[in-house]
Amino acid sequence: MHFDRKSIGRIRDFWFETERNTKEENGADFAQYHDLSVCPADEKWLVTIQPRKTLVNDLNDDADKIIAKFKKNTKYEIRRAAKEGCYSQFIIGNDVCRHEDILKRIDDAHTQMFTDKGKRSKSEFPVMIAAAKSNMLAVSIGFLADGRECAYHVYIVGNGNARLLHSISIFREVETNEDRNAIGRLNRFLHYDDMINLKKSGYQTYDWGGYSEEEQLKSISEFKAAFGGDIIDVYTAIYATSIIGKLTSGIVKKIKFKGN
């Protein structure tokens, strides 16, 4: 499955493929294959390849068995959030295109999250719109009991798989530790709620969008691992697929394409 976007040339993003699909590359300058389970053997006009790890939860089990694999504290936080009255909104498929306002709020929150960390982030609104128009996007919003929107999740979906693109918690703007802790519980609740909603929508796997063993990302990795997924190796590969792509492939090698 794929969608197109503009960056350096015309980029076609392929998701959930098992191998290179050259027939579908026509019309693009670059083809970016995300999260291939096998290292691609085709090296013809291969610009770059990035091996990495990710965590995947199996959604084929029933809801009780899915949560049973979570660590004790994660299960407690999810159940407490539900008792406190947290709730969610889940949007998937063609319905997402009717909610560009929500995607814009998410993109603004994503940018602000990086700003609060002292980092810069390029807007990924065009990526989300492109995926939504190809029926490959799912979005969830987490609400505290008082109605405040305090968590956003975005997924690329297709072929029975859901891959986390963004996970955003709005806790840096609140003033009390009580609110921060409540938002932390809400975020865990939303991940589990997403798993159940995705399962109901026919998806079999929940991909956390990456897993790192680097020390500076330890807290994020521990958060993901607490949901009991399996660590697997995946590969992202970029191919030059047009004359323009081939002429500019040297530049692309120095750039990390958005959405990896």
Side-chain angles (χ1 to χ4, degrees):
M1 300 184 72
H2 65 266
F3 56 83
D4 293 344
R5 59 190 167 95
K6 291 286 290 183
S7 183
I8 297 179
R10 298 162 295 175
I11 303 166
R12 184 159 295 164
D13 287 289
F14 288 85
W15 293 88
F16 317 119
E17 301 281 354
T18 56
E19 58 186 11
R20 188 176 179 188
N21 187 354
T22 55
K23 290 182 180 179
E24 296 295 327
E25 293 176 355
N26 291 335
D29 297 315
F30 296 97
Q32 182 171 12
Y33 289 82
H34 298 262
D35 300 352
L36 293 164
S37 58
V38 178
C39 186
D42 189 348
E43 296 186 355
K44 186 176 181 180
W45 288 106
L46 177 64
V47 178
T48 183
I49 185 167
Q50 298 173 348
R52 64 186 188 86
K53 297 181 183 297
T54 190
L55 271 166
V56 175
N57 285 74
D58 185 353
L59 302 183
N60 288 308
D61 288 332
D62 60 36
D64 289 340
K65 288 184 179 180
I66 288 173
I67 198 172
K69 296 178 182 179
F70 299 175
K71 288 191 175 180
K72 183 178 179 179
N73 185 64
T74 298
K75 288 188 282 190
Y76 167 78
E77 294 275 271
I78 291 168
R79 288 166 176 156
R80 181 173 172 182
K83 289 180 180 178
E84 290 172 345
C86 292
Y87 61 98
S88 71
Q89 179 182 5
F90 182 76
I91 313 168
I92 193 168
N94 292 327
D95 287 342
V96 182
C97 289
R98 294 191 283 270
H99 293 280
E100 285 194 21
D101 58 322
I102 292 176
L103 297 184
K104 189 64 174 65
R105 291 206 303 275
I106 291 172
D107 192 57
D108 289 343
H110 182 258
T111 300
Q112 186 61 49
M113 180 177 68
F114 275 82
T115 299
D116 291 342
K117 294 178 180 180
K119 301 178 181 179
R120 298 181 65 182
S121 174
K122 181 181 177 181
S123 170
E124 292 197 45
F125 183 71
V127 176
M128 291 190 286
I129 288 294
K133 289 180 177 178
S134 295
N135 201 27
M136 292 179 61
L137 201 72
V139 172
S140 64
I141 305 172
F143 300 85
L144 295 177
D146 61 10
R148 283 181 289 170
E149 291 185 15
C150 291
Y152 301 109
H153 296 164
V154 180
Y155 302 89
I156 304 292
V157 296
N159 292 345
N161 305 291
R163 195 269 202 188
L164 184 66
L165 183 66
H166 290 321
S167 178
I168 305 163
S169 297
I170 314 299
F171 65 87
R172 293 173 181 84
E173 290 79 8
V174 299
E175 296 181 355
T176 68
N177 286 332
E178 181 180 359
D179 275 350
R180 292 187 188 95
N181 292 335
I183 293 170
R185 292 191 291 273
L186 168 65
N187 190 40
R188 289 172 173 83
F189 164 85
L190 190 60
H191 278 293
Y192 173 63
D193 200 50
D194 290 347
M195 289 182 187
I196 302 308
N197 283 316
L198 287 162
K199 174 183 172 62
K200 291 177 180 177
S201 298
Y203 293 90
Q204 290 92 48
T205 60
Y206 184 98
D207 185 337
W208 284 87
Y211 176 84
S212 176
E213 296 174 344
E214 295 180 11
E215 184 63 29
Q216 62 265 35
L217 298 174
K218 183 178 180 180
S219 61
I220 296 174
S221 297
E222 289 177 345
F223 175 89
K224 295 178 179 180
F227 287 81
D230 297 316
I231 300 173
I232 64 171
D233 293 310
V234 292
Y235 305 86
T236 294
I238 301 172
Y239 291 91
T241 55
S242 73
I243 293 176
I244 292 174
K246 293 168 185 177
L247 289 173
T248 58
S249 60
I251 299 173
V252 174
K253 288 182 181 180
K254 301 177 182 179
I255 298 174
K256 181 181 179 182
F257 275 15
K258 302 302 294 182
N260 281 347

